[in-house]
Amino acid sequence: QRAIAVSGGMGWLGARGLTTGATYWPAKRTSQARVVARANEPTMYWTSIVVYATIGLGTFGLAGWGIRELRRLRA
């Protein structure tokens, strides 16, 4: 369930960033987190979109694998 929630959150952040042209920079410290606009900083913008997509797809795959294993154990 957590992997699905993380995957959904990362998908939402990525989709929102693509539609609005600005997204949050994924920083470890909150003092470094900021909004990155595609027009002003394209490299930082696309890097953050790729980070969100990678995490989202990875957790989605993990959730799918977990569901498959649960079904296999129950059968």
Side-chain angles (χ1 to χ4, degrees):
Q1 289 178 345
R2 290 181 189 171
I4 294 171
V6 170
S7 179
M10 293 296 112
W12 177 79
L13 279 170
R16 184 173 169 265
L18 289 173
T19 58
T20 63
T23 189
Y24 296 103
W25 176 248
K28 188 173 184 177
R29 298 181 183 191
T30 56
S31 62
Q32 296 173 345
R34 60 188 170 90
V35 175
V36 178
R38 178 175 35 200
N40 298 338
E41 300 173 279
T43 304
M44 298 283 274
Y45 171 81
W46 287 110
T47 301
S48 63
I49 294 293
V50 167
V51 167
Y52 292 141
T54 302
I55 294 170
L57 290 172
T59 54
F60 186 73
L62 180 65
W65 176 77
I67 290 169
R68 183 183 69 117
E69 290 298 312
L70 281 174
R71 286 185 180 169
R72 199 173 71 144
L73 287 173
R74 290 183 182 169

Coordinates of all heavy atoms in Angstrom, one line a residue:
Q1 N 0.8 -1.2 0.0 CA 0.0 0.0 0.0 C 0.9 1.3 0.0 O 0.5 2.2 -0.7 CB -0.9 0.0 1.2 CG -2.0 -1.0 1.1 CD -2.9 -1.0 2.4 OE1 -2.5 -0.5 3.4 NE2 -4.0 -1.6 2.3
R2 N 1.9 1.2 0.7 CA 2.8 2.4 0.8 C 3.5 2.7 -0.6 O 3.6 3.8 -1.0 CB 3.9 2.2 1.9 CG 3.3 2.3 3.2 CD 4.4 2.2 4.3 NE 3.8 2.0 5.6 CZ 4.5 1.8 6.6 NH1 5.8 1.6 6.6 NH2 3.9 1.6 7.8
A3 N 3.9 1.6 -1.2 CA 4.5 1.7 -2.5 C 3.6 2.3 -3.5 O 4.0 3.2 -4.4 CB 5.0 0.4 -3.0
I4 N 2.3 2.0 -3.5 CA 1.3 2.5 -4.4 C 1.1 4.0 -4.1 O 1.0 4.9 -5.0 CB 0.0 1.8 -4.3 CG1 0.2 0.3 -4.8 CG2 -1.1 2.5 -5.1 CD1 -1.0 -0.6 -4.6
A5 N 1.1 4.4 -2.8 CA 0.9 5.8 -2.4 C 2.1 6.6 -2.9 O 2.0 7.7 -3.4 CB 0.8 5.9 -0.9
V6 N 3.3 6.1 -2.7 CA 4.5 6.8 -3.1 C 4.5 6.9 -4.6 O 4.8 8.0 -5.2 CB 5.8 6.1 -2.6 CG1 7.0 6.7 -3.3 CG2 5.9 6.2 -1.1
S7 N 4.2 5.9 -5.3 CA 4.1 5.9 -6.8 C 3.1 7.0 -7.3 O 3.4 7.7 -8.2 CB 3.7 4.5 -7.3 OG 3.7 4.6 -8.7
G8 N 1.9 7.0 -6.6 CA 0.9 8.0 -7.0 C 1.4 9.4 -6.7 O 1.2 10.3 -7.5
G9 N 2.0 9.6 -5.6 CA 2.6 10.9 -5.2 C 3.6 11.4 -6.2 O 3.6 12.6 -6.6
M10 N 4.5 10.5 -6.6 CA 5.6 10.9 -7.6 C 5.0 11.2 -8.9 O 5.4 12.1 -9.6 CB 6.6 9.8 -7.7 CG 7.4 9.6 -6.4 SD 8.4 11.0 -6.0 CE 7.6 11.5 -4.5
G11 N 4.0 10.4 -9.3 CA 3.3 10.6 -10.6 C 2.6 11.9 -10.6 O 2.6 12.7 -11.6
W12 N 1.9 12.3 -9.5 CA 1.2 13.6 -9.4 C 2.2 14.7 -9.5 O 2.0 15.7 -10.2 CB 0.5 13.6 -8.0 CG -0.2 14.9 -7.8 CD1 -1.4 15.3 -8.4 CD2 0.3 16.0 -7.0 NE1 -1.7 16.6 -8.0 CE2 -0.7 17.1 -7.2 CE3 1.4 16.2 -6.3 CZ2 -0.5 18.3 -6.5 CZ3 1.5 17.4 -5.6 CH2 0.6 18.4 -5.7
L13 N 3.4 14.6 -8.8 CA 4.4 15.7 -8.8 C 4.9 15.8 -10.2 O 5.1 17.0 -10.7 CB 5.5 15.4 -7.8 CG 5.3 15.8 -6.4 CD1 6.4 15.2 -5.5 CD2 5.2 17.2 -6.2
G14 N 5.2 14.7 -10.9 CA 5.7 14.8 -12.2 C 4.7 15.4 -13.2 O 5.0 16.2 -14.0
A15 N 3.5 14.9 -13.1 CA 2.4 15.4 -14.0 C 2.1 16.8 -13.8 O 2.0 17.6 -14.7 CB 1.2 14.5 -13.9
R16 N 2.1 17.2 -12.6 CA 1.8 18.6 -12.2 C 3.0 19.5 -12.8 O 2.8 20.6 -13.3 CB 1.7 18.8 -10.7 CG 1.4 20.2 -10.3 CD 1.1 20.2 -8.8 NE 1.0 21.5 -8.3 CZ 2.0 22.2 -7.7 NH1 3.2 21.6 -7.6 NH2 1.9 23.5 -7.3
G17 N 4.2 19.0 -12.6 CA 5.3 19.8 -13.1 C 5.3 19.9 -14.6 O 5.6 21.0 -15.2
L18 N 4.9 18.9 -15.3 CA 4.8 18.9 -16.8 C 3.7 19.9 -17.3 O 3.9 20.6 -18.3 CB 4.6 17.5 -17.4 CG 5.8 16.6 -17.3 CD1 5.4 15.2 -17.7 CD2 7.0 17.1 -18.1
T19 N 2.6 19.9 -16.6 CA 1.5 20.8 -17.0 C 1.7 22.2 -16.6 O 1.3 23.1 -17.4 CB 0.2 20.3 -16.4 OG1 0.2 20.3 -15.0 CG2 -0.2 18.9 -17.0
T20 N 2.3 22.5 -15.5 CA 2.5 23.9 -15.1 C 3.8 24.5 -15.5 O 3.9 25.7 -15.5 CB 2.4 24.0 -13.5 OG1 3.4 23.3 -12.9 CG2 1.0 23.5 -13.0
G21 N 4.8 23.7 -15.8 CA 6.1 24.2 -16.2 C 7.0 24.5 -15.0 O 8.1 25.1 -15.2
A22 N 6.6 24.1 -13.8 CA 7.4 24.4 -12.6 C 7.1 23.2 -11.7 O 6.0 22.7 -11.6 CB 7.0 25.7 -12.0
T23 N 8.2 22.8 -10.9 CA 8.1 21.7 -10.0 C 9.0 22.0 -8.8 O 9.8 22.9 -8.9 CB 8.4 20.4 -10.6 OG1 8.0 19.3 -9.7 CG2 9.8 20.3 -11.1
Y24 N 8.9 21.2 -7.8 CA 9.8 21.3 -6.6 C 11.1 20.6 -6.9 O 11.1 19.5 -7.4 CB 9.1 20.7 -5.4 CG 7.8 21.5 -5.0 CD1 6.6 21.0 -5.3 CD2 7.9 22.7 -4.4 CE1 5.5 21.7 -4.9 CE2 6.8 23.4 -4.0 CZ 5.6 22.9 -4.3 OH 4.4 23.6 -4.0
W25 N 12.2 21.2 -6.4 CA 13.5 20.5 -6.5 C 13.5 19.5 -5.4 O 13.4 19.9 -4.2 CB 14.6 21.6 -6.4 CG 15.9 21.0 -6.4 CD1 16.8 21.0 -5.3 CD2 16.6 20.3 -7.4 NE1 17.9 20.3 -5.7 CE2 17.8 19.9 -7.0 CE3 16.2 19.9 -8.7 CZ2 18.7 19.1 -7.8 CZ3 17.1 19.2 -9.5 CH2 18.3 18.8 -9.0
P26 N 13.8 18.3 -5.6 CA 13.8 17.2 -4.6 C 15.1 17.3 -3.8 O 16.1 16.7 -4.2 CB 13.7 15.9 -5.3 CG 14.2 16.2 -6.7 CD 13.9 17.7 -6.9
A27 N 15.2 18.1 -2.7 CA 16.4 18.2 -1.9 C 16.2 17.5 -0.6 O 15.1 17.3 -0.1 CB 16.6 19.7 -1.7
K28 N 17.3 17.0 -0.1 CA 17.3 16.3 1.2 C 17.0 17.2 2.3 O 16.3 16.9 3.2 CB 18.7 15.7 1.4 CG 18.7 14.7 2.6 CD 20.1 14.0 2.7 CE 20.1 13.0 3.8 NZ 21.3 12.3 3.8
R29 N 17.5 18.4 2.3 CA 17.2 19.4 3.3 C 16.1 20.4 2.9 O 16.1 20.8 1.7 CB 18.4 20.2 3.7 CG 19.5 19.3 4.2 CD 20.7 20.1 4.5 NE 21.8 19.2 5.0 CZ 22.9 19.5 5.6 NH1 23.1 20.8 5.8 NH2 23.8 18.7 5.9
T30 N 15.2 20.7 3.7 CA 14.1 21.6 3.4 C 14.6 23.0 3.0 O 13.9 23.7 2.3 CB 13.0 21.6 4.5 OG1 13.7 22.1 5.7 CG2 12.4 20.3 4.7
S31 N 15.7 23.4 3.6 CA 16.2 24.7 3.3 C 16.7 24.8 1.8 O 16.7 25.9 1.3 CB 17.4 25.1 4.2 OG 18.4 24.2 4.0
Q32 N 17.0 23.7 1.2 CA 17.4 23.7 -0.2 C 16.3 23.4 -1.2 O 16.5 23.6 -2.4 CB 18.5 22.6 -0.4 CG 19.8 22.9 0.4 CD 20.8 21.8 0.3 OE1 20.4 20.7 -0.1 NE2 22.0 22.0 0.7
A33 N 15.1 23.0 -0.7 CA 14.0 22.7 -1.5 C 13.4 24.1 -2.0 O 13.3 25.0 -1.3 CB 12.9 22.0 -0.8
R34 N 13.1 24.1 -3.3 CA 12.6 25.3 -3.9 C 11.8 25.0 -5.2 O 11.9 23.8 -5.7 CB 13.7 26.3 -4.2 CG 14.7 25.8 -5.2 CD 15.9 26.7 -5.3 NE 17.0 26.1 -6.0 CZ 17.1 26.2 -7.3 NH1 16.3 26.8 -8.0 NH2 18.2 25.6 -7.9
V35 N 11.1 25.9 -5.7 CA 10.4 25.7 -7.0 C 11.3 26.0 -8.1 O 12.1 27.0 -8.1 CB 9.2 26.6 -7.1 CG1 8.5 26.5 -8.4 CG2 8.2 26.3 -6.0
V36 N 11.4 25.0 -9.1 CA 12.2 25.2 -10.3 C 11.3 25.3 -11.5 O 10.5 24.5 -11.8 CB 13.1 23.9 -10.4 CG1 14.0 24.0 -11.6 CG2 14.0 23.7 -9.2
A37 N 11.5 26.4 -12.2 CA 10.7 26.7 -13.4 C 11.5 26.2 -14.6 O 12.7 26.3 -14.7 CB 10.5 28.2 -13.5
R38 N 10.8 25.6 -15.6 CA 11.4 25.1 -16.8 C 12.0 26.3 -17.6 O 13.1 26.1 -18.2 CB 10.3 24.4 -17.7 CG 10.8 23.9 -19.0 CD 9.8 23.1 -19.7 NE 8.5 23.6 -19.6 CZ 7.4 22.9 -19.8 NH1 7.5 21.6 -20.2 NH2 6.2 23.4 -19.7
A39 N 11.4 27.4 -17.6 CA 11.9 28.5 -18.4 C 13.2 29.1 -17.9 O 14.1 29.5 -18.6 CB 10.9 29.7 -18.5
N40 N 13.3 29.1 -16.5 CA 14.5 29.7 -15.9 C 15.7 28.7 -15.8 O 16.8 29.1 -16.0 CB 14.2 30.2 -14.5 CG 13.1 31.4 -14.6 OD1 13.0 32.0 -15.7 ND2 12.5 31.6 -13.5
E41 N 15.4 27.5 -15.4 CA 16.4 26.5 -15.1 C 16.0 25.1 -15.7 O 15.6 24.2 -15.0 CB 16.6 26.3 -13.6 CG 17.0 27.6 -12.9 CD 17.0 27.4 -11.4 OE1 15.9 27.4 -10.8 OE2 18.1 27.1 -10.8
P42 N 16.2 25.0 -17.0 CA 15.7 23.8 -17.7 C 16.4 22.5 -17.2 O 15.8 21.4 -17.1 CB 15.9 24.0 -19.2 CG 16.9 25.2 -19.2 CD 16.7 25.9 -18.0
T43 N 17.7 22.6 -16.9 CA 18.4 21.4 -16.5 C 17.9 20.9 -15.2 O 17.7 19.7 -15.0 CB 19.9 21.6 -16.5 OG1 20.3 22.1 -17.8 CG2 20.7 20.4 -16.1
M44 N 17.8 21.8 -14.2 CA 17.3 21.4 -12.9 C 15.9 20.9 -13.0 O 15.5 20.0 -12.3 CB 17.4 22.6 -11.9 CG 18.8 23.1 -11.7 SD 19.7 22.1 -10.6 CE 19.2 22.8 -9.1
Y45 N 15.1 21.6 -13.8 CA 13.7 21.2 -14.0 C 13.6 19.7 -14.5 O 12.9 18.9 -13.9 CB 13.0 22.1 -15.0 CG 11.6 21.7 -15.4 CD1 10.5 21.9 -14.6 CD2 11.4 21.0 -16.6 CE1 9.2 21.5 -14.9 CE2 10.1 20.6 -17.0 CZ 9.1 20.9 -16.2 OH 7.8 20.4 -16.5
W46 N 14.3 19.4 -15.6 CA 14.2 18.1 -16.2 C 14.8 17.0 -15.3 O 14.4 15.9 -15.2 CB 14.8 18.1 -17.6 CG 13.9 18.7 -18.5 CD1 14.1 19.9 -19.2 CD2 12.6 18.3 -19.0 NE1 13.0 20.2 -20.0 CE2 12.1 19.2 -19.9 CE3 11.8 17.2 -18.7 CZ2 10.8 19.1 -20.5 CZ3 10.5 17.1 -19.3 CH2 10.1 18.0 -20.1
T47 N 15.8 17.4 -14.5 CA 16.4 16.5 -13.6 C 15.4 16.1 -12.5 O 15.3 14.9 -12.1 CB 17.7 17.1 -12.9 OG1 18.6 17.4 -14.0 CG2 18.3 16.1 -11.9
S48 N 14.7 17.1 -12.0 CA 13.7 16.8 -10.9 C 12.6 15.9 -11.5 O 12.1 15.0 -10.8 CB 13.1 18.1 -10.3 OG 12.5 18.8 -11.3
I49 N 12.1 16.2 -12.8 CA 11.1 15.4 -13.4 C 11.6 13.9 -13.5 O 10.9 13.0 -13.3 CB 10.7 15.9 -14.7 CG1 10.0 17.3 -14.6 CG2 9.8 15.0 -15.5 CD1 8.7 17.3 -13.9
V50 N 12.8 13.7 -13.9 CA 13.4 12.4 -14.1 C 13.5 11.7 -12.7 O 13.2 10.5 -12.6 CB 14.8 12.4 -14.8 CG1 15.5 11.1 -14.7 CG2 14.6 12.8 -16.3
V51 N 13.9 12.4 -11.7 CA 14.0 11.8 -10.3 C 12.6 11.4 -9.9 O 12.4 10.2 -9.4 CB 14.5 12.8 -9.3 CG1 14.3 12.4 -7.9 CG2 16.0 13.1 -9.6
Y52 N 11.6 12.2 -10.1 CA 10.2 11.8 -9.7 C 9.7 10.6 -10.5 O 9.1 9.7 -10.0 CB 9.2 13.0 -9.9 CG 9.5 14.1 -8.9 CD1 9.3 15.4 -9.3 CD2 9.8 13.9 -7.6 CE1 9.5 16.5 -8.5 CE2 10.0 14.9 -6.7 CZ 9.9 16.2 -7.2 OH 10.1 17.2 -6.3
A53 N 10.0 10.6 -11.8 CA 9.6 9.5 -12.7 C 10.3 8.2 -12.3 O 9.7 7.1 -12.2 CB 9.9 9.8 -14.1
T54 N 11.6 8.3 -12.0 CA 12.3 7.1 -11.6 C 11.8 6.5 -10.3 O 11.6 5.3 -10.2 CB 13.8 7.4 -11.4 OG1 14.3 7.9 -12.7 CG2 14.6 6.2 -11.1
I55 N 11.6 7.3 -9.3 CA 11.0 6.9 -8.0 C 9.6 6.3 -8.2 O 9.3 5.3 -7.7 CB 11.1 8.0 -7.0 CG1 12.5 8.3 -6.6 CG2 10.3 7.6 -5.7 CD1 12.6 9.6 -5.8
G56 N 8.8 7.0 -9.0 CA 7.4 6.6 -9.2 C 7.4 5.2 -9.9 O 6.6 4.3 -9.5
L57 N 8.2 5.1 -11.0 CA 8.1 3.8 -11.7 C 8.7 2.7 -10.9 O 8.3 1.5 -11.0 CB 8.9 4.0 -13.0 CG 8.2 4.8 -14.1 CD1 9.1 5.0 -15.3 CD2 6.9 4.2 -14.5
G58 N 9.8 3.0 -10.1 CA 10.4 2.0 -9.3 C 9.4 1.4 -8.2 O 9.3 0.2 -8.0
T59 N 8.7 2.4 -7.6 CA 7.8 1.9 -6.5 C 6.5 1.3 -7.1 O 6.0 0.4 -6.5 CB 7.3 3.1 -5.6 OG1 6.8 4.2 -6.5 CG2 8.5 3.6 -4.8
F60 N 6.1 1.7 -8.3 CA 5.0 1.0 -9.0 C 5.4 -0.4 -9.3 O 4.6 -1.3 -9.2 CB 4.7 1.8 -10.3 CG 3.4 1.3 -11.0 CD1 2.2 1.5 -10.4 CD2 3.6 0.6 -12.2 CE1 1.1 1.0 -11.1 CE2 2.5 0.1 -12.8 CZ 1.2 0.3 -12.2
G61 N 6.6 -0.6 -9.8 CA 7.1 -2.0 -10.1 C 7.2 -2.8 -8.8 O 6.8 -4.0 -8.8
L62 N 7.7 -2.2 -7.8 CA 7.7 -2.9 -6.5 C 6.3 -3.3 -6.0 O 6.2 -4.4 -5.5 CB 8.4 -2.0 -5.5 CG 8.6 -2.6 -4.1 CD1 9.5 -3.8 -4.1 CD2 9.1 -1.5 -3.1
A63 N 5.4 -2.4 -6.1 CA 4.0 -2.7 -5.7 C 3.4 -3.9 -6.6 O 2.8 -4.8 -6.1 CB 3.1 -1.5 -5.9
G64 N 3.7 -3.8 -7.9 CA 3.2 -4.9 -8.8 C 3.9 -6.3 -8.4 O 3.2 -7.3 -8.4
W65 N 5.2 -6.2 -8.1 CA 5.8 -7.4 -7.7 C 5.3 -8.0 -6.4 O 5.1 -9.2 -6.2 CB 7.3 -7.2 -7.6 CG 8.1 -8.3 -7.1 CD1 8.5 -9.5 -7.8 CD2 8.6 -8.5 -5.7 NE1 9.2 -10.3 -6.9 CE2 9.3 -9.8 -5.7 CE3 8.5 -7.8 -4.6 CZ2 9.8 -10.2 -4.5 CZ3 9.1 -8.2 -3.4 CH2 9.8 -9.5 -3.4
G66 N 5.0 -7.1 -5.4 CA 4.4 -7.5 -4.2 C 3.0 -8.1 -4.3 O 2.7 -9.1 -3.7
I67 N 2.2 -7.5 -5.2 CA 0.9 -8.1 -5.4 C 1.0 -9.4 -6.1 O 0.3 -10.4 -5.7 CB 0.1 -7.1 -6.3 CG1 -0.3 -5.9 -5.5 CG2 -1.2 -7.8 -6.8 CD1 -0.9 -4.7 -6.3
R68 N 1.9 -9.6 -7.0 CA 2.1 -10.9 -7.7 C 2.5 -12.0 -6.7 O 2.0 -13.1 -6.7 CB 3.1 -10.8 -8.8 CG 3.3 -12.0 -9.6 CD 4.4 -11.8 -10.6 NE 5.7 -11.7 -9.9 CZ 6.7 -12.6 -10.1 NH1 6.6 -13.6 -10.9 NH2 7.8 -12.4 -9.4
E69 N 3.4 -11.6 -5.8 CA 3.9 -12.6 -4.8 C 2.8 -12.9 -3.8 O 2.7 -14.1 -3.4 CB 5.1 -12.0 -4.1 CG 6.4 -11.9 -4.9 CD 6.8 -13.3 -5.4 OE1 6.9 -14.2 -4.6 OE2 7.1 -13.4 -6.6
L70 N 2.0 -12.0 -3.4 CA 0.9 -12.3 -2.5 C -0.1 -13.2 -3.2 O -0.6 -14.2 -2.6 CB 0.1 -11.0 -2.1 CG 0.8 -10.2 -1.0 CD1 0.0 -8.9 -0.8 CD2 0.8 -11.0 0.3
R71 N -0.4 -13.0 -4.4 CA -1.3 -13.9 -5.2 C -0.7 -15.3 -5.3 O -1.4 -16.3 -5.2 CB -1.6 -13.3 -6.6 CG -2.6 -12.2 -6.5 CD -2.9 -11.7 -7.9 NE -3.8 -10.6 -7.9 CZ -4.2 -9.9 -8.9 NH1 -3.6 -10.2 -10.1 NH2 -5.0 -8.9 -8.8
R72 N 0.6 -15.3 -5.5 CA 1.2 -16.6 -5.7 C 1.2 -17.4 -4.4 O 1.1 -18.6 -4.3 CB 2.7 -16.4 -6.1 CG 3.3 -17.7 -6.7 CD 4.6 -17.3 -7.3 NE 5.5 -17.0 -6.2 CZ 6.8 -17.4 -6.2 NH1 7.3 -17.9 -7.3 NH2 7.6 -17.1 -5.2
L73 N 1.4 -16.7 -3.2 CA 1.4 -17.4 -1.9 C 0.0 -17.9 -1.6 O -0.1 -18.9 -0.9 CB 1.9 -16.5 -0.9 CG 3.4 -16.2 -0.9 CD1 3.8 -15.1 0.2 CD2 4.2 -17.5 -0.6
R74 N -1.0 -17.2 -2.0 CA -2.4 -17.5 -1.6 C -2.9 -18.7 -2.5 O -3.8 -19.4 -2.1 CB -3.3 -16.4 -1.8 CG -3.1 -15.3 -0.7 CD -4.0 -14.2 -0.8 NE -3.7 -13.2 0.2 CZ -4.2 -12.0 0.3 NH1 -5.1 -11.7 -0.7 NH2 -3.9 -11.2 1.2
A75 N -2.3 -18.9 -3.7 CA -2.8 -19.9 -4.6 C -2.3 -21.3 -4.2 O -1.5 -21.6 -3.5 CB -2.4 -19.6 -6.0

